[in-house]
Amino acid sequence: MKKIVLIITAIVLTCCMISALVACNGTKEPAMDQVEMSYDTSTDYGVYWFGDGNSDYVRSGKNMDTKYFDPSKPTFVFAHGWEPDPSNSTDGFFEDFVTHKETVSYTGVTKRDYAKILKSQGYNVACLSWFSYAKTLGKNFAYIWLNFDNGYALSTRFAMELALVLGEDYQGDVKMVGHSYGSQLALATTYQLVKMQKNKNFSNDHIIPSRLTLADPYFGKSTMITSWQNIKNKNISFTNEPLNSRAPSTLFADITDYVVKNKNIAVDMYFGMSIASTSYYNYDGSDANFEKLSRNSTVVKSEGLKERYGDTSIHNIVRDWVLSSIVDGVLLYDQNGDLAPTGAVSNDKIKAMRGKCYYQTYQGFDLSKDTMQLINRKTQSF
């Protein structure tokens, strides 16, 4: 009888604990996997750390030279997106972390080595590399969120690898930048880190990014996801949260809401090509998903770049606009003389801009001439 009482008590306590947890979609939060944190150094996908520049890097490993990872420095992490063009990689491991060749072609700017510049500015610089597997657009959603290589999704694997490299003693700051489908990867990896900390896989707050900067994030319709009908009710990797048939734009808004509410992360987004981002949200107040996304972030529409280079040509130009704003420390202002969002604005200032939307105005790639217009979303007026 005593054994039965103990079992019942344990069940009640477990139920109470579960009922106290709420997932980002408003349902009861499922139990997460209890696993030992690890990563496989033999894979070509993983986290790569730069040394002197784009052509000098190593894969994560124990006792890395401080040339590649110095625990006393802040950390910059870049997540590339869909990449079907092998010529955008020197060796096929990851998209070259330099000015994109399309940006050079369309705008005439000189190619720059972002890794080298950021290293000179005192950062550890890492790339979430899945280059060889990001070639099939319809499979990327499942790779990032659900499963990959018969196991955990890429976001879970990258989160574990980052957590183990940074470690419990790391006291620096982590900035995560994503481009295109890499924006989903950056958000999903951040979400996994938040969940892993909740699951007591680690305790150090400094492992979790304090900033998410997303360059022309790609959402994509569920009809563009391979075998959507078969996966729409599967669970997110590691966290076991059900998808519940949420389209990518809905999931993106929900996950952003979750990480901001739980960790007060500063989020800034720079929309560009319509098919990547702006075609999935309505700005006029009628779209509950965008209202949720906007409450937790600040959003820029790259209207000047679109006017100059065309809607279908600016996807990679926006990438380089954002990265240039970061490495050059560019600060821009709106029509009222108030600070506007760029990748160089402080986290606190970005948080103060939550709920605000802007138009980037200069019709050309010259950030020294650029300005921002704060808009009334419901009327699309200044």
Side-chain angles (χ1 to χ4, degrees), residues 75-96:
T75 299
F76 183 103
V77 182
F78 179 69
H80 72 79
W82 177 49
E83 189 49 275
D85 186 356
S87 68
N88 289 327
S89 174
T90 300
D91 54 19
F93 282 135
F94 51 83
E95 180 181 277
D96 287 345

Side-chain angles (χ1 to χ4, degrees), residues 30 145-147 231-244:
W145 294 99
L146 305 179
N147 56 73
I231 68 174
K232 66 180 182 179
N233 290 315
K234 290 188 178 296
N235 294 345
I236 295 174
S237 176
F238 176 75
T239 72
N240 292 317
E241 180 185 350
L243 275 181
N244 286 335

Side-chain angles (χ1 to χ4, degrees), residues 221-233:
K221 295 179 180 179
S222 55
T223 54
M224 299 174 67
I225 298 172
T226 302
S227 303
W228 174 251
Q229 292 303 315
N230 295 328
I231 68 174
K232 66 180 182 179
N233 290 315

Side-chain angles (χ1 to χ4, degrees), residues 54-351:
N54 183 73
S55 60
D56 177 24
Y57 57 84
V58 295
R59 176 71 194 283
S60 297
K62 291 183 178 180
N63 303 315
M64 280 190 295
D65 191 295
T66 54
K67 172 184 178 182
Y68 299 102
F69 175 71
D70 185 337
S72 69
K73 294 180 177 180
T75 299
F76 183 103
V77 182
F78 179 69
H80 72 79
W82 177 49
E83 189 49 275
D85 186 356
S87 68
N88 289 327
S89 174
T90 300
D91 54 19
F93 282 135
F94 51 83
E95 180 181 277
D96 287 345
F97 195 36
V98 299
T99 311
H100 199 280
K101 67 175 186 177
E102 288 187 359
T103 303
V104 174
S105 175
Y106 283 120
T107 70
V109 298
T110 302
K111 185 172 75 171
R112 306 174 74 191
D113 187 332
Y114 299 121
K116 187 173 184 177
I117 298 170
L118 288 163
K119 290 292 288 188
S120 72
Q121 294 174 350
Y123 286 94
N124 299 309
V125 183
C127 177
L128 305 186
S129 174
W130 53 304
F131 187 87
S132 300
Y133 308 90
K135 300 182 184 305
T136 307
L137 192 62
K139 295 181 179 181
N140 290 350
F141 179 86
Y143 287 168
I144 289 170
W145 294 99
L146 305 179
N147 56 73
F148 177 75
D149 197 24
N150 298 313
Y152 281 129
L154 286 168
S155 58
T156 304
R157 297 166 188 260
F158 287 136
M160 287 185 178
E161 191 165 338
L162 282 172
L164 288 169
V165 170
L166 295 174
E168 289 288 5
D169 296 328
Y170 183 68
Q171 294 299 301
D173 183 70
V174 178
K175 179 181 180 71
M176 185 91 74
V177 176
H179 170 236
S180 190
Y181 237 130
S183 294
Q184 288 200 40
L185 180 59
L187 178 62
T189 300
T190 300
Y191 171 65
Q192 293 288 356
L193 286 168
V194 173
K195 289 288 194 173
M196 287 173 186
Q197 187 190 50
K198 182 184 285 288
N199 201 42
K200 302 187 186 309
N201 292 100
F202 64 83
S203 61
N204 185 6
D205 266 336
H206 292 270
I207 291 173
I208 297 172
S210 61
R211 178 73 167 270
L212 275 172
T213 296
L214 307 178
D216 208 4
Y218 176 82
F219 303 108
K221 295 179 180 179
S222 55
T223 54
M224 299 174 67
I225 298 172
T226 302
S227 303
W228 174 251
Q229 292 303 315
N230 295 328
I231 68 174
K232 66 180 182 179
N233 290 315
K234 290 188 178 296
N235 294 345
I236 295 174
S237 176
F238 176 75
T239 72
N240 292 317
E241 180 185 350
L243 275 181
N244 286 335
S245 301
R246 284 174 289 174
S249 55
T250 304
L251 181 65
F252 202 93
D254 284 347
I255 298 295
T256 301
D257 183 69
Y258 185 88
V259 299
V260 170
K261 284 183 176 176
N262 280 271
K263 287 298 176 182
N264 196 28
I265 296 170
V267 183
D268 48 330
M269 303 187 185
Y270 302 83
F271 291 175
M273 186 170 63
S274 297
I275 196 173
S277 53
T278 52
S279 62
Y280 299 103
Y281 292 116
N282 294 320
Y283 267 43
D284 61 4
S286 65
D287 186 338
N289 290 324
F290 184 75
E291 295 307 302
K292 179 181 286 188
L293 189 70
S294 179
R295 283 196 302 271
N296 293 293
S297 65
T298 184
V299 175
V300 173
K301 290 178 74 173
S302 305
E303 293 298 296
L305 295 177
K306 186 180 295 185
E307 286 293 324
R308 175 64 179 83
Y309 302 109
D311 183 50
T312 59
S313 302
I314 62 171
H315 189 52
N316 291 310
I317 296 175
V318 172
R319 166 195 185 268
D320 290 299
W321 189 100
V322 170
L323 290 169
S324 294
S325 79
I326 294 170
V327 299
D328 293 333
V330 174
L331 299 180
L332 299 178
Y333 297 85
D334 65 21
Q335 68 271 33
N336 303 312
D338 295 325
L339 191 66
T342 69
V345 172
S346 72
N347 293 351
D348 286 342
K349 295 293 185 182
I350 289 295
K351 291 175 187 178

